Amino acid sequence: MKILVSADMEGATGVTWPADVLPGTPQWERCRTMFTSDVNAAVLGFFDGGADEVLINEAHWTMRNLLLERLDERAEMITGRHKSLSMVEGVQHGDVDGIAFVGYHTGAGTEGVLAHTYLANSITGVWLNGVRASEGMLNAHVVAEYGVPVILVTGDDLTCEDALQYAPEARKVAVKDHVSRYAAVCRTPTRTAADIRAAAKDATALAVRYEPVRGGPFTVELEFDAEHLAAAATVVPGVTACGERRVTCTSETMYEAIRAFKAVTTIVSAAVEEQYG
Ligand SMILES: [Zn+2]
């Protein structure tokens, strides 16, 4: 049995502030050890539950935050950027039985610690077939095309609530409780590691691959905080304007949808100015 761990940082233990997740800052250096602790706890729990292989895919920012040297030696990790499936890279080879979303967070324009969808601020909302979507929801639809169940979700309490929509069966661990976008009631890494390890062990029983889901077509609608960003996004083939600061794109598969989404975020990032956005 092989488990994939998609590891994002905003939902990690102790993390509540932009500098906590910004590579290169002293706060990030401190928080990456707590992020590593969360991920390693999941790894240990999956092996406790009977997994033979655990592959971690770094999914935050430059995708080089986790401390490889502190992980259980049975685990392997994909580090670095530019991967065809981005946050869920590794799921496409037909050998993954279950996936964990560790350190996830709520979507742009909603409540939650460090809530956003891909871009920190420029995207103010994302909708998938008319339903407001977080990264967790988008990625859950991607992995469904490979027949891989989401078996564990960790993050703040609102992330766990959000996951009820896209992975009702998955085990969930709230490592902190939301107070504001930049504040939370945090539990210590020792405690959250114990909680994550226990939940991952239980979640291993849910790692049963199913028939790949063909649920298309998928319409992704994005809203930006400035009009010029919507205009920039329409450079991507298939992406059209739909209302003020909004664009839409319809794809037959989630694979195509997430890749179009990635193209949009890349183009839009290049159009954001430091002061005015
Ligand atoms: Zn994220």
Side-chain angles (χ1 to χ4, degrees):
M1 180 196 298
K2 180 172 178 175
I3 308 295
L4 180 65
V5 176
S6 171
D8 203 358
M9 194 170 181
E10 285 86 354
T13 296
V15 165
T16 68
W17 181 249
D20 294 350
V21 295
L22 188 63
T25 68
Q27 267 302 103
W28 168 79
E29 282 292 356
R30 177 178 157 254
C31 289
R32 66 196 297 212
T33 65
M34 291 193 277
F35 180 29
T36 303
S37 167
D38 287 6
V39 169
N40 199 47
V43 168
L44 293 171
F46 290 133
F47 281 119
D48 290 346
D52 305 300
E53 280 180 80
V54 180
L55 177 65
I56 300 153
N57 178 42
E58 280 232 37
H60 175 71
W61 207 290
T62 53
M63 301 185 171
R64 42 185 72 253
N65 309 275
L66 290 166
L67 297 162
L68 179 66
E69 58 274 32
R70 296 203 192 165
L71 295 174
D72 183 273
E73 63 183 22
R74 293 167 291 179
E76 291 188 320
M77 179 162 80
I78 306 169
T79 299
R81 294 176 63 175
H82 309 302
K83 302 170 284 193
S84 45
L85 283 179
S86 191
M87 295 183 79
V88 292
E89 176 70 18
V91 80
Q92 67 267 49
H93 306 301
D95 60 350
V96 173
D97 299 290
I99 186 165
F101 293 168
V102 172
Y104 269 48
H105 50 83
T106 52
T110 67
E111 273 194 315
V113 177
L114 293 165
H116 70 286
T117 306
Y118 285 84
L119 303 183
N121 234 20
S122 312
I123 294 176
T124 54
V126 177
W127 291 264
L128 177 63
N129 290 345
V131 177
R132 200 182 256 279
S134 59
E135 290 166 19
M137 183 181 282
L138 294 171
N139 288 326
H141 279 84
V142 175
V143 301
E145 285 186 349
Y146 298 92
V148 176
V150 179
I151 60 172
L152 173 71
V153 179
T154 78
D156 71 1
D157 55 334
L158 298 181
T159 301
C160 294
E161 215 171 274
D162 177 53
L164 287 171
Q165 284 187 82
Y166 62 78
E169 308 290 321
R171 295 299 313 265
K172 295 158 190 88
V173 179
V175 300
K176 56 198 171 192
D177 295 331
H178 166 264
V179 173
S180 77
R181 195 173 184 216
Y182 300 130
V185 179
C186 295
R187 289 173 271 289
T188 67
T190 310
R191 184 162 153 204
T192 58
D195 291 348
I196 293 170
R197 183 171 183 168
K201 183 183 178 192
D202 288 352
T204 316
L206 303 170
V208 181
R209 241 179 297 161
Y210 53 83
E211 267 306 300
V213 174
R214 290 274 167 259
F218 296 100
T219 297
V220 178
E221 197 172 320
L222 287 104
E223 184 188 75
F224 302 99
D225 66 354
E227 181 278 331
H228 77 288
L229 299 180
T234 60
V235 167
V236 179
V239 175
T240 54
C242 67
E244 208 180 0
R245 295 178 287 108
R246 285 192 182 218
V247 296
T248 184
C249 179
T250 299
S251 312
E252 277 312 305
T253 65
M254 236 359 245
Y255 174 82
E256 290 161 28
I258 205 75
R259 287 167 69 85
F261 186 86
K262 205 176 153 195
V264 166
T265 56
T266 303
I267 297 275
V268 165
S269 302
V272 175
E273 300 298 337
E274 204 180 317
Q275 294 299 332
Y276 282 69

